[in-house]
Amino acid sequence: MESEQPRLSLRHISKSYSGNRVLSDVSLDVRAGEIHALLGENGAGKSTLMKILMGMDEIRQSGGFEGEILLDGEPVQIDSPKRAHELGVCMVHQELMLVNGFTVAENIRVGREPVKRIGRGERDAACLPIDFSRLREQAKTALERLHVELDGDMPIAELPVTQMQFVEIAREVDRPGIRLLILDEPTAVLNDEEAECLLDRMARLKQSGLSILFITHRLGEVLRCCDRITVLRDGAVAGRAESGKTSAAAIAEMMIGKRLLAIHTSERISFGEPTEEPVLQLNGFWADLPGERVERLDLEVRRGEILGLGGLSGQGKIGFANGLMGLCPSGGVVILDGRELSLGDAGSVLRAGFGFVSEDRRRVGLLSGSSIEENIAIPAMLNFGRFLRRVGPVQMIDRRAMRANALEFIHALDIRCTGPDQPAGMLSGGNQQKVCVAQALTLRPRILLVSEPTRGIDIGAKHLLLNVLLRLNREQGITIVFTSSELQELRSVCDRIAIISRGRVAGILPPDAPEAEFGLMMSGLDVKRSGV
Amino acid sequence: MTKWKRTLKKNAVPLLFISLSAFAFLYSGASGPVVVSDVVSRFARNAILVLSLIFPVLAGMGLNFGIAIGAMAGQIALFFVMLAGITGTNGLLAAALLCVPLAVVFGWLSSLVLNRTKGQEMITSMLLAFFASGVYQFFFLYLLGGVIPVNNPDFLMGSGIGVRSNLDMTGMQYALDDLLKTDVFTCLLATAAGFGVWLVYQAVKHKKQPLYLALLFALDAALLALGVLGKFGGLWPQYRVMVQIPVATLLVVALVGFVIRYFFSTRMGQRMRAVGNDTTASSAVGIDVNRVRTQAMILSTLVAALGQIVYLQNIGTIAVYSAHENVGMFSAAALLVGGASVSGATVPQALLGTLLFHLLFNILPIAGQKLFGSPEIGEYFRVFIAYGIIAVTLSLYAWKITAKRNATREKKRN
Amino acid sequence: MKQSLIARVGLPRIIIFAFLLLLLALCVLTKQDLGAITGDVIVRFGMNGILALSMFPSILCGAGLNFGVPIGVIAGLVGGLLSVEFGMTGFGGVAAACLFSVPIAVAFGYLYGKLLNTVKGNEIVVGNYISYAAVSLMCIFWLLMPFTNPAITWPIRGTGVRTTVTLEGFYDGLLNDTLSFTVLGVKIPTLLLAAFALACVLIWLFSRSKTGLLMKAAGENPMYAAAAGISVDAMRLKGIILSTLLAAVGIVIYSQSYGFYQLYNAPLNMAFAPVAAVLLGGATTRTVKIRHVIIGTFLFQAIITVAMPVANQLAPDGGLAEVARIIVSNGIILYALMQSGGERK
């Protein structure tokens, strides 16, 4: 077994984006005819690794990468997707890459259509007419290889997503000389039954000798169909396993990691222990955020607590805050202090006493071209009429008050900047995040919704931010709903942690519950077992 | 019933314009032969320009308002051919050959800009045409005679610098139109005969539905009858005398149409359609998107250049500084009138659109005179129709993109 | 260091400025009347300023360059014609023209803004062709409008609006001439410049008001705005209405200086010069400052004005100056589109 030549071998791959290391020393072997699972949280480096493997422009433009790639023992240079295809490395993208106006058959052979024979010789010129009857046959053969029955003349747009997925796989598998197929979260958009069907086809492809690199979040699938597993965390290999010799809990633990953050929990000064009294109640709350759909959330947030929302990505934890703010379609009953909240408009939610720090600070959280002070002041100005003074009939901005407020927060949160008039986009990630927090605090909220505040910022800034959240809670009594992908972060500051899986609350655990319990709950396995 | 409805909906735009033309024709009281004769010659001279828009539409670049650049290439070619003293059909051929390298270079240059402004191609192509027009005018107004010596003073303005604004195409006017010209009924008979042969061939080879074939045979018989009655029966003498069909020009139009259809049956054409349908997916499967877009621009510019030469041989004078000005706008409007959209166009749509648009162009002023006592109203109205249909189509298209974006998101969400 | 200076000032401005110096040198060499040329530059700067300023709210609110200038211009022309119809002269006439055009511009801007809100991302091309369609539709209305003042209607027919309506005897050059003075052979049109300055100050104040700041936020990042509770569509609508209004007032100021109201197809390409001017001044399709408007308008008008006598010297028969205007204005817009296109993907 050990002496066998691996189909694909990645050796010591490292990659940095403008000084920011996203992959360090990743090595990975995929054997011939195996299904190899690549697991990892968002931002673990999976997609960067795939971009390197497919020779995407982005990699070259950002300065290339270190390490080498071997295919069947031969070192190769993959500098474009075309080159990857030539070498037999093909990928099915998560967002389906199908030409919408084309039929199934046209899509399977797109770019490689057979042309009509003229004279005796087989010519391959782009200026000859396409032979559509041969095209149909070839497409049929490709689909048969996957054991899929589909009418080649169907317009692709009329197919359900599963079958689109199959067409795309058929197209890639049909490429001459294919050696390695990469599937990027192919089951993310499928229901259980459809996913089962796909796994079955993958097993058949494997039998025909193809190697498959399978990226997914669903641990159950991994255990069922994969031969070996590699887990990435923070750009490095966190662990390897063979599927027969491991458990979902063990894999989940690898993904989450064991590092504990050294947060010094400051003593509660005046507000005492969190009460049992609910401040916010959600009944049948749903939110339709693409990729992070909340199916049905029944949850109580207690006054004065820090409630953590955890779970794997794609399960809906991010959907909660966005849905509450009305940034995506949402509904259900939301009761704040005994009064039902009307959803759908961010302004009215803010005025009801919420503060919101988005998980996407660049796109949602900040006006990157505007000054820090404006960034901090705008929501409070609009919703509470602060920083304004009346001049005749018009409301002018009270620049002085705005600046004073900004200076106060720059001091309190230690925002490193040249001054309150520096454009927010020029700040480092951690400082941008502090601006977002300052913006939410300027609203003087009773409940603060914070999502992924530490994503993509360095460890020092992480500690600072978590401490800020703790202090706000302990010293000012602000209730906080803290959403994060990093379980250890949640465990270090939260009073309770709710794990969200498949858009529902899978369970609520105290922060000191054992790792394995969190792991199982996140994997969704126990939920499924009890359901079946 | 639903099938009928769908067909009706699909052809709503041409049907609307057919009814509008019919209405305008009835109320204008215009003379039939005059209108028909004028529309035939307008159709023949404009059709190729409209056809040139098909490539960029199918490549996903929208309406190429920059075909004026192709028109300029045609005019430059004609100018130098005239300067060299070549006339007649030879002159046209020489110009057609000379415009090829010019149009290829111009199209390539345009694509350099358009590949850097993805998503804004239509406004960019319009601005490119304006910009190119400036450079072109600088060339004709100052460089020719001013820097580049021109040996024939007849072409120059009084001061010896710059080309005169109107050049008479002596000897070249109608050089193509007059190659083969027949009266309308002869042309009808010939068409009916050709159509009949094709029908018999289809009936023997493919055995389509008999009802469909019968209908076509009836149509052919009607055409034949019209031709016989007109030519030999002495009916509609006015039409026989006044309506002359430029058969050679129409054959060239047909040839261009067939070449375009052929192109889109090849692998190159299929790639262009793929890029037009979905740029990201195309590049993911290894199609060089920028290269395909460049091909589309070069082909469009080239066909437009040929189209402008055919157009000018019918007009007979080159308005050096303005002949190309509204080419893009009027051709785009014609294409849309035929039922095409920003993202889809076919050869029949282009031809039908040219016919309808120029029919309207001809009779609206007459109708305006009759209805409002002012031909200007009709004239302004036809310009409004041209701009209006472009504006409405573009708005609907932009609105649809937004709606579609939401719909795909919906679908991926299940 | 040198590189960063070029980057800071911007390549287009450097090229245009160098070109301007070249033209000025040619003027001196060919012994042109520099005083008169400078005076022309100042007048054209003043009369085109407010039209260029109409780009400001539109870019601020995120609707991009205002290719809907012709729509505002039509509103201004209707207002202006009304003032002539009622025989209003002098300052009253100019004021009335502006006032009459306000409700029309607001109504037009509202409809136009509603439309642009449904075609986000394609505002330029849709705006441009909607404007063209509006101008060609107005051509019919000009013919049918029931004006009766012989200064407006065609002389023989007595109905329909003329292609140009002269303002002589009404308020031709009113702002240019009143309180004007001459320095070093250059006539300074005091009130014209004051009107432009006033408009700039008002718009600057607007940008410092609550609505202005919220509008900027909505334009800069619609997702931020939505999360802060700002209604992005309402802000865009307000910005577009304001732009249309400025274009309407702008054409009244322009026309009183020009001496005529130009109708029918004249507004067709009115958007291009102001668009080119603000882009030349340093604005982009997403960001703009008042100083971009001022610098841009000055440079753009200076080039065109100074080019005229030089061009006439070079090629006496042709409109070489017009050619220069075409190349410069469209070249600048194309350059800006390419810059912003590069960021898209």
Side-chain angles (χ1 to χ4, degrees):
Chain A
M1 238 356 217
E2 284 304 306
S3 62
E4 192 189 325
Q5 183 87 273
R7 172 64 50 87
L8 168 79
S9 180
L10 299 176
R11 299 252 174 96
H12 312 293
I13 304 281
S14 296
K15 165 79 191 155
S16 305
Y17 281 110
S18 51
N20 195 1
R21 208 167 182 79
V22 290
L23 283 179
S24 61
D25 200 26
V26 173
S27 295
L28 174 75
D29 282 347
V30 182
R31 294 180 193 143
E34 82 162 343
I35 301 182
H36 192 113
L38 184 63
L39 295 172
E41 262 300 326
N42 269 4
K46 290 172 310 199
S47 49
T48 310
L49 195 60
M50 291 310 108
K51 280 176 191 155
I52 289 174
L53 207 45
M54 292 306 294
M56 297 289 201
D57 285 345
E58 191 185 318
I59 298 296
R60 209 162 5 100
Q61 283 157 6
S62 56
F65 66 98
E66 293 160 42
E68 60 175 346
I69 303 174
L70 283 83
L71 269 178
D72 287 323
E74 302 245 337
V76 288
Q77 297 288 329
I78 302 180
D79 50 12
S80 70
K82 208 175 164 198
R83 178 78 189 130
H85 290 160
E86 283 165 12
L87 289 166
V89 178
C90 302
M91 177 160 172
V92 174
H93 296 263
Q94 192 181 355
E95 54 284 351
L96 294 172
M97 293 291 181
L98 291 166
V99 181
N100 241 325
F102 278 19
T103 64
V104 168
E106 284 174 318
N107 258 299
I108 289 177
R109 296 291 298 192
V110 65
R112 302 182 299 121
E113 297 88 355
V115 293
K116 282 194 176 138
R117 297 187 183 98
I118 290 179
R120 261 171 298 163
E122 178 90 4
R123 283 191 191 79
D124 199 28
C127 57
L128 289 178
I130 294 168
D131 186 340
F132 277 97
S133 58
R134 265 170 74 206
L135 179 93
R136 249 172 252 129
E137 281 163 33
Q138 289 172 339
K140 205 173 156 205
T141 321
L143 285 168
E144 274 166 2
R145 207 177 151 194
L146 277 180
H147 304 273
V148 174
E149 275 193 34
L150 262 181
D151 179 4
D153 289 332
M154 279 269 276
I156 199 84
E158 288 176 14
L159 296 183
V161 187
T162 342
Q163 306 210 321
M164 286 165 100
Q165 190 88 255
F166 282 137
V167 173
E168 180 145 348
I169 295 174
R171 183 188 70 206
E172 293 307 316
V173 172
D174 192 43
R175 290 187 190 281
I178 179 166
R179 292 193 265 187
L180 175 74
L181 179 66
I182 304 169
L183 297 174
D184 187 6
E185 299 204 31
T187 54
V189 287
L190 308 182
N191 65 30
D192 289 347
E193 209 172 304
E194 293 164 341
E196 206 58 50
C197 187
L198 180 71
L199 296 182
D200 174 59
R201 300 306 193 275
M202 282 168 59
R204 284 170 198 260
L205 284 175
K206 172 184 140 181
Q207 275 160 17
S208 70
L210 195 66
S211 302
I212 297 176
L213 192 56
F214 180 43
I215 301 171
T216 181
H217 278 305
R218 298 193 186 181
L219 297 183
E221 284 166 5
V222 170
L223 289 173
R224 219 146 356 112
C225 79
C226 297
D227 301 301
R228 295 189 306 151
I229 298 155
T230 300
V231 180
L232 285 186
R233 192 178 67 227
D234 294 338
V237 176
R240 300 172 211 276
E242 297 202 12
S243 62
K245 300 172 187 166
T246 188
S247 66
I251 301 174
E253 209 176 289
M254 273 190 235
M255 289 170 68
I256 297 157
K258 277 196 166 172
R259 298 152 302 134
L260 266 173
L261 284 169
I263 293 290
H264 308 291
T265 314
S266 51
E267 293 299 310
R268 289 172 191 275
I269 298 170
S270 55
F271 289 86
E273 290 295 308
T275 56
E276 296 279 307
E277 174 203 357
V279 58
L280 179 68
Q281 290 164 292
L282 303 170
N283 289 320
F285 176 79
W286 58 268
D288 206 359
L289 185 70
E292 283 277 351
R293 191 184 159 99
V294 177
E295 297 286 346
R296 183 190 170 86
L297 220 54
D298 299 302
L299 190 64
E300 276 187 3
V301 182
R302 297 171 185 166
R303 189 179 307 281
E305 76 169 341
I306 302 184
L307 174 69
L309 291 187
L312 297 176
S313 59
Q315 302 293 330
K317 62 177 186 299
I318 301 287
F320 161 71
N322 284 292
L324 198 60
M325 293 299 298
L327 300 182
C328 61
S330 62
V333 182
V334 178
I335 297 166
L336 175 71
D337 273 336
R339 204 173 299 158
E340 193 174 337
L341 205 65
S342 69
L343 296 171
D345 168 37
S348 66
V349 177
L350 292 178
R351 283 191 293 276
F354 282 92
F356 172 62
V357 178
S358 167
E359 77 285 355
D360 192 342
R361 63 170 172 271
R362 281 200 167 275
R363 284 170 61 218
V364 184
L366 288 178
L367 295 171
S368 47
S370 296
S371 64
I372 296 173
E373 54 188 7
E374 285 175 352
N375 265 289
I376 296 179
I378 284 175
M381 177 189 299
L382 177 69
N383 295 299
F384 297 106
R386 293 181 63 194
F387 315 116
L388 292 175
R389 64 195 158 88
R390 232 166 219 298
V391 180
V394 274
Q395 291 188 302
M396 296 299 288
I397 298 161
D398 186 348
R399 294 246 150 209
R400 199 174 296 167
M402 197 160 93
R403 173 144 307 184
N405 178 64
L407 284 171
E408 198 179 299
F409 278 107
I410 287 173
H411 179 72
L413 302 183
D414 191 23
I415 301 173
R416 304 283 165 85
C417 57
T418 57
D421 51 356
Q422 191 180 11
M426 311 275 277
L427 301 176
S428 71
N431 285 310
Q432 285 183 352
Q433 197 65 59
K434 289 180 201 162
V435 172
C436 293
V437 173
Q439 184 195 103
L441 291 179
T442 303
L443 290 161
R444 295 171 182 152
R446 282 184 287 165
I447 302 184
L448 188 59
L449 310 173
V450 187
S451 302
E452 307 278 10
T454 62
R455 185 186 282 175
I457 67 179
D458 64 70
I459 195 90
K462 256 184 203 179
H463 280 215
L464 236 154
L465 259 168
L466 294 178
N467 267 318
V468 166
L469 293 183
L470 263 180
R471 263 177 29 223
L472 287 171
N473 176 257
R474 304 293 194 252
E475 293 166 16
Q476 299 184 30
I478 298 176
T479 310
I480 296 176
V481 180
F482 177 24
T483 309
S484 173
S485 300
E486 291 199 32
L487 185 62
Q488 296 317 327
E489 201 172 276
L490 293 174
R491 295 174 84 186
S492 64
V493 296
C494 295
D495 296 307
R496 299 188 300 153
I497 298 168
I499 299 297
I500 311 293
S501 176
R502 303 192 171 220
R504 290 159 197 269
V505 177
I508 298 181
L509 294 169
D512 50 2
E515 305 259 322
E517 219 168 302
F518 280 107
L520 276 178
M521 212 176 256
M522 282 182 169
S523 71
L525 281 182
D526 53 346
V527 176
K528 211 173 162 193
R529 254 182 235 139
S530 62
V532 173
Chain B
M1 198 60 199
T2 45
K3 197 179 161 192
W4 273 103
K5 257 187 193 162
R6 208 185 305 159
T7 323
L8 206 67
K9 206 174 161 191
K10 222 166 92 186
N11 298 307
V13 178
L15 285 174
L16 174 76
F17 281 93
I18 288 173
S19 12
L20 185 62
S21 324
F23 174 81
F25 182 72
L26 283 179
Y27 280 83
S28 67
S31 131
V34 175
V35 172
V36 173
S37 138
D38 186 70
V39 168
V40 164
S41 83
R42 279 168 171 274
F43 171 80
R45 71 181 183 226
N46 281 293
I48 299 176
L49 285 166
V50 181
L51 285 171
S52 76
L53 290 169
I54 292 180
F55 297 103
V57 165
L58 291 183
M61 302 164 84
L63 301 168
N64 177 17
F65 295 109
I67 56 168
I69 297 175
M72 287 176 228
Q75 282 159 216
I76 296 173
L78 272 177
F79 174 80
F80 282 105
V81 166
M82 282 160 68
L83 196 62
I86 313 172
T87 58
T89 319
N90 289 340
L92 276 191
L93 271 177
L97 284 178
L98 183 58
C99 82
V100 173
L102 287 173
V104 169
V105 171
F106 290 179
W108 174 68
L109 288 173
S110 306
S111 73
L112 289 186
V113 177
L114 287 170
N115 281 342
R116 293 189 59 180
T117 53
K118 287 190 187 130
Q120 303 278 358
E121 290 92 349
M122 285 187 267
I123 194 78
T124 310
S125 64
M126 189 189 90
L127 288 163
L128 261 177
F130 286 159
F131 180 77
S133 176
V135 177
Y136 166 95
Q137 289 184 37
F138 182 69
F139 179 73
F140 275 96
L141 209 52
Y142 182 65
L143 291 186
L144 284 178
V147 177
I148 305 164
V150 173
N151 51 19
N152 190 340
D154 290 349
F155 286 85
L156 296 181
M157 286 195 259
S159 61
I161 299 172
V163 174
R164 293 152 54 121
S165 48
N166 279 301
L167 295 177
D168 200 11
M169 293 171 68
T170 335
M172 237 189 284
Q173 186 173 19
Y174 302 134
L176 179 61
D177 289 353
D178 284 348
L179 266 189
L180 185 57
K181 216 165 190 180
T182 65
D183 67 285
V184 60
F185 296 111
T186 315
C187 184
L188 260 179
L189 281 177
T191 315
F195 190 41
V197 171
W198 181 78
L199 274 178
V200 170
Y201 172 75
Q202 290 291 318
V204 173
K205 197 180 174 201
H206 290 302
K207 299 201 173 77
K208 289 195 177 171
Q209 300 115 302
L211 180 69
Y212 180 67
L213 270 181
L215 270 174
L216 287 181
F217 270 115
L219 180 71
D220 191 39
L223 285 180
L224 206 65
L226 274 178
V228 171
L229 286 177
K231 186 150 178 76
F232 306 111
L235 283 176
W236 311 294
Q238 276 178 312
Y239 282 93
R240 193 172 62 233
V241 178
M242 291 180 66
V243 183
Q244 293 288 307
I245 308 288
V247 178
T249 315
L250 290 180
L251 284 177
V252 172
V253 171
L255 179 70
V256 173
F258 275 113
V259 168
I260 292 175
R261 287 192 83 153
Y262 171 81
F263 176 83
F264 282 102
S265 78
T266 66
R267 194 192 270 183
M268 231 171 145
Q270 183 84 348
R271 265 181 215 160
M272 199 172 278
R273 284 182 40 214
V275 170
N277 267 307
D278 194 330
T279 317
T280 355
S282 303
S283 90
V285 296
I287 297 175
D288 186 341
V289 172
N290 280 355
R291 203 180 131 171
V292 170
R293 289 163 57 96
T294 306
Q295 286 166 357
M297 275 317 286
I298 290 178
L299 286 170
S300 176
T301 313
L302 180 59
V303 174
L306 296 172
Q308 184 74 350
I309 292 174
V310 171
Y311 175 85
L312 288 172
Q313 65 84 32
N314 179 272
I315 298 289
T317 31
I318 308 178
V320 178
Y321 300 105
S322 60
H324 55 273
E325 258 179 0
N326 287 323
V327 164
M329 191 266 286
F330 285 135
S331 303
L335 186 71
L336 297 176
V337 166
S341 73
V342 176
S343 56
T346 63
V347 172
Q349 280 171 340
L351 298 182
L352 176 67
T354 316
L355 194 67
L356 284 177
F357 185 72
H358 287 283
L359 180 60
L360 271 180
F361 232 70
N362 181 286
I363 55 182
L364 277 178
I366 314 175
Q369 171 74 51
K370 188 89 173 182
L371 286 177
F372 301 97
S374 145
E376 288 143 311
I377 289 191
E379 260 163 50
Y380 287 129
F381 188 62
R382 65 188 190 184
V383 178
F384 168 65
I385 282 190
Y387 283 133
I389 186 160
I390 297 177
V392 170
T393 314
L394 292 183
S395 308
L396 282 178
Y397 176 68
W399 176 72
K400 257 190 219 154
I401 292 178
T402 327
K404 201 169 134 194
R405 211 181 290 143
N406 295 340
T408 36
R409 210 182 289 155
E410 204 71 35
K411 188 166 183 184
K412 282 197 175 151
R413 248 184 267 160
N414 290 2
Chain C
M1 200 60 211
K2 221 173 191 176
Q3 201 95 39
S4 77
L5 184 76
I6 290 177
R8 212 164 48 231
V9 183
L11 194 61
R13 266 168 304 293
I14 291 175
I15 294 175
I16 292 295
F17 196 69
F19 189 48
L20 185 59
L21 287 181
L22 176 79
L23 286 175
L24 279 175
L26 283 173
C27 274
V28 175
L29 283 178
T30 51
K31 299 198 175 64
Q32 306 284 347
D33 179 358
L34 278 182
I37 291 175
T38 316
D40 268 359
V41 171
I42 294 175
V43 166
R44 297 188 62 136
F45 167 69
M47 65 197 259
N48 283 287
I50 300 181
L51 283 172
L53 195 62
S54 82
M55 295 295 140
F56 187 89
S58 167
I59 298 177
L60 193 71
C61 74
L65 297 161
N66 178 22
F67 274 81
V69 168
I71 293 175
V73 164
I74 289 170
L77 289 174
V78 175
L81 287 188
L82 283 174
S83 77
V84 174
E85 171 77 12
F86 299 136
M88 305 177 88
T89 59
F91 287 105
V94 176
C98 292
L99 282 181
F100 288 144
S101 60
V102 168
I104 306 167
V106 170
F108 283 9
Y110 178 80
L111 294 175
Y112 178 58
K114 278 273 174 199
L115 178 77
L116 284 198
N117 274 347
T118 66
V119 297
K120 282 180 196 146
N122 289 286
E123 289 95 346
I124 297 184
V125 68
V126 172
N128 187 55
Y129 277 93
I130 287 290
S131 302
Y132 280 3
V135 170
S136 53
L137 185 62
M138 271 316 283
C139 286
I140 300 173
F141 284 114
W142 295 131
L143 277 176
L144 300 175
M145 276 185 176
F147 285 110
T148 52
N149 193 322
I152 298 177
T153 54
W154 287 105
I156 298 164
R157 269 189 300 187
T159 60
V161 182
R162 305 174 185 209
T163 36
T164 51
V165 172
T166 177
L167 292 177
E168 223 179 307
F170 291 93
Y171 38 79
D172 175 21
L174 184 74
L175 298 184
N176 300 35
D177 299 336
T178 318
L179 294 181
S180 69
F181 55 92
T182 307
V183 184
L184 300 170
V186 178
K187 189 182 144 198
I188 306 291
T190 316
L191 279 189
L192 184 65
L193 293 182
F196 179 35
L198 178 69
C200 285
V201 168
L202 284 177
I203 291 298
W204 180 76
L205 283 175
F206 170 77
S207 74
R208 319 257 305 174
S209 73
K210 177 186 172 188
T211 315
L213 185 63
L214 297 182
M215 191 180 281
K216 188 179 95 168
E220 190 181 332
N221 185 350
M223 288 165 93
Y224 172 96
I230 302 172
S231 166
V232 177
D233 280 3
M235 280 302 154
R236 285 169 52 104
L237 196 55
K238 281 182 195 170
I240 292 163
I241 290 176
L242 191 56
S243 273
T244 313
L245 194 61
L246 279 172
V249 173
I251 195 66
V252 172
I253 303 295
Y254 176 95
S255 300
Q256 68 79 30
S257 171
Y258 191 67
F260 302 94
Y261 282 124
Q262 294 172 289
L263 301 138
Y264 295 93
N265 282 321
L268 202 61
N269 286 324
M270 278 273 182
F272 289 80
V275 165
V278 294
L279 290 174
L280 178 59
T284 68
T285 49
R286 302 189 56 88
T287 56
V288 64
K289 292 195 163 66
I290 301 280
R291 84 179 126 86
H292 296 153
V293 177
I294 298 173
I295 297 173
T297 310
F298 182 79
L299 275 181
F300 186 78
Q301 296 301 334
I303 282 282
I304 289 166
T305 320
V306 179
M308 199 118 57
V310 177
N312 287 340
Q313 204 80 26
L314 285 175
D317 285 337
L320 205 53
E322 173 67 7
V323 171
R325 189 188 64 80
I326 293 173
I327 294 179
V328 168
S329 62
N330 293 299
I332 291 164
I333 306 176
L334 276 176
Y335 178 83
L337 277 177
M338 279 164 78
Q339 295 300 99
S340 66
E343 287 161 8
R344 272 167 177 265
K345 66 178 171 183

